[in-house]
Amino acid sequence: MLLTWHWKKLFAVQALFALVWAQAPQENYDVIVIGGGPSGLSAASALSRVLRKVALFDSGEYRNNPTRHMHDVIGSDHVVPAEFREAARKQISFYNMTTFFDQKVITMQKTDNSFHATTANGTYTARKVILASGLKDDLPNVPGLRDAFGKGVFWCPWCDGFEHRDQPMGVLGDLSDAYDSVKELHPTLNKDIRIYANGTNNAAQLNRLNGKNRDWQKVFDAYNVTVNPKPILNITRTQSGSDFHDSAIRKEFDKFRVYFTDGTYEERGAFITNYGTSQASNLPEQLKVGLLGEENGHDGPTNVPHAMSSGKKAAVFCHVEMATEELAQVGGSPAKRAAMLDDRSIHERTARQMGDEVGDVYKRLAHF
Ligand SMILES: Cc1cc2nc3c(=O)[nH]c(=O)nc-3n(C[C@H](O)[C@H](O)[C@H](O)COP(=O)(O)OP(=O)(O)OC[C@H]3O[C@@H](n4cnc5c(N)ncnc54)[C@H](O)[C@@H]3O)c2cc1C
Ligand SMILES: *[C@@H]1O[C@H](CO)[C@@H](O)[C@H](O)[C@H]1NC(C)=O
Ligand SMILES: *[C@@H]1O[C@H](CO)[C@@H](O)[C@H](O)[C@H]1NC(C)=O
Ligand SMILES: *[C@@H]1O[C@H](CO)[C@@H](O)[C@H](O)[C@H]1NC(C)=O
Ligand SMILES: *[C@@H]1O[C@H](CO)[C@@H](O)[C@H](O)[C@H]1NC(C)=O
Ligand SMILES: *[C@@H]1O[C@H](CO)[C@@H](O)[C@H](O)[C@H]1NC(C)=O
């Protein structure tokens, strides 16, 4: 009796809070999508086209924000990311099913049958949530690096490699990771490659390097790849490819000096980096979820096409799961919960929805 009374009191308190904080109408949605980058926009597009009501939240923090142009996104190659997102929003808006909220979701909560997203404006509820909240680049706090990132200093060959082809290239990050950068750049994009190991030419790194290829030194010699082991002081821009470029053949002429702690420096036209990434948002942590298939080596969030693919997959799964629930209400046999949430079965169900071709890609990825 006492317990019941206490619970009632708790509810009352919660209701009061809801009244105080709910400045915006508490509309109910089918799906809350967190993120207005390529993955969230793809999810909203797919859900809109099957007439699911979507609330998309976008805090305006995009991973590729620093870049000049977005590349290797077929149909939208060399497009400014903000223009790409604007075009996508326009296309999605046509369906009148998605509401865009340019707000940060501060907390996400799950109850038995719904999700609650709270922003500074109020709380929004939906049956499902898609976290398309992206990754952030964990760059070391080295003067000049963050400013240069995305403009002559890049992490992926497909992103800006072509614009800096045939230029003197530097490799930043751990020595053992530099090996993979060399492999991806040489010989097509760059032949003049120098590794700036920043003191990581240690036993542990050499051990990892030997693990990748015992003959790594032979490869470096054959490719004329050299290693400068000196500790790095900073990265200093001396010329910007935003001002110096050849649009006809898409070459961007950035120039940098890498300064060392001993006061010396060397010059390079571009750098490729090997630093880590982490979740951009703490909402996945709040909901206690991790990346689907992370352990299988799926590279879902790597580039824009991968992000669009994972957003679309999530949307298809979401729609099918809601349809299964609706079907159960009119007498369909309820699916087994455990099987539904199993990683592989999610992939397989989604792949079936998307067609066999994608299914085949999945199977290949799963055996990577
Ligand atoms: C410098 C640079 C250049 C790149 N160039 C290319 C390229 O040329 N080609 C290519 O294919 N890929 C490129 N990439 C990779 C590309 O940026 C990513 O693959 C892509 O952005 C991933 O999309 P996403 O939707 O998962 O995440 P993002 O684009 O990062 O979007 C995340 C979204 O979630 C939102 N969000 C996060 N938390 C919250 C919250 N709590 N509430 C509300 N909203 C939230 C953010 O505001 C944002 O809208 C580049 C990356 C970098 C760093
Ligand atoms: C979307 O809503 C607008 C405004 O009410 C309307 O003019 C338009 O026809 C709607 N579009 C579709 C596809 O229903
Ligand atoms: C959210 O709140 C801010 C500040 O009160 C206001 O400017 C904005 O219009 C609100 N947005 C929505 C979608 O209600
Ligand atoms: C170089 O190594 C130092 C010491 O580990 C580290 O603090 C710094 O961030 C590194 N710099 C670069 C450019 O990686
Ligand atoms: C890097 O160090 C050099 C030499 O001390 C200095 O002239 C330059 O301004 C520094 N650059 C940055 C980005 O801090
Ligand atoms: C090898 O690299 C050095 C220094 O980066 C450069 O000066 C030289 O021209 C390169 N040689 C060849 C054959 O590419």
Side-chain angles (χ1 to χ4, degrees), residues 224-267:
N224 194 22
V225 171
T226 50
V227 179
N228 183 332
K230 289 185 191 174
I232 292 170
L233 175 68
N234 73 41
I235 305 289
T236 302
R237 180 188 291 284
T238 54
Q239 182 170 297
S240 174
S242 304
D243 306 323
F244 295 85
H245 52 85
D246 185 339
S247 306
I249 54 167
R250 269 197 216 155
K251 276 199 171 182
E252 295 175 3
F253 303 104
D254 294 282
K255 267 192 194 142
F256 301 97
R257 282 179 181 178
V258 48
Y259 275 93
F260 307 100
T261 52
D262 68 3
T264 62
Y265 69 85
E266 288 186 13
E267 290 188 315

Side-chain angles (χ1 to χ4, degrees), residues 23-24 101 103 121 124:
Q23 292 151 351
F101 296 95
Q103 297 168 35
N121 290 58
Y124 304 78

Side-chain angles (χ1 to χ4, degrees), residues 144-145 148-157 160-161 164 167-173 181 185 190 192-197 228 232 234-238 254-260 265-275:
L145 182 61
F149 194 61
K151 300 174 180 70
V153 176
F154 51 92
W155 66 280
C156 109
D160 293 303
H164 298 86
Q167 294 178 5
M169 172 63 70
V171 185
L172 295 174
S181 294
L185 296 174
N190 304 91
D192 176 0
I193 303 175
R194 185 131 156 99
I195 295 168
Y196 296 94
N228 183 332
I232 292 170
N234 73 41
I235 305 289
T236 302
R237 180 188 291 284
T238 54
D254 294 282
K255 267 192 194 142
F256 301 97
R257 282 179 181 178
V258 48
Y259 275 93
F260 307 100
Y265 69 85
E266 288 186 13
E267 290 188 315
R268 294 276 104 180
F271 287 98
I272 191 154
T273 62
N274 291 289
Y275 298 118

Side-chain angles (χ1 to χ4, degrees), residues 193-237:
I193 303 175
R194 185 131 156 99
I195 295 168
Y196 296 94
N198 186 36
T200 65
N201 52 323
N202 52 39
Q205 283 296 314
L206 290 170
N207 207 30
R208 276 196 73 198
L209 204 45
N210 282 324
K212 287 181 178 176
N213 183 353
R214 286 222 154 264
D215 291 326
W216 60 268
Q217 187 65 62
K218 248 193 214 164
V219 173
F220 283 6
D221 289 346
Y223 287 2
N224 194 22
V225 171
T226 50
V227 179
N228 183 332
K230 289 185 191 174
I232 292 170
L233 175 68
N234 73 41
I235 305 289
T236 302
R237 180 188 291 284

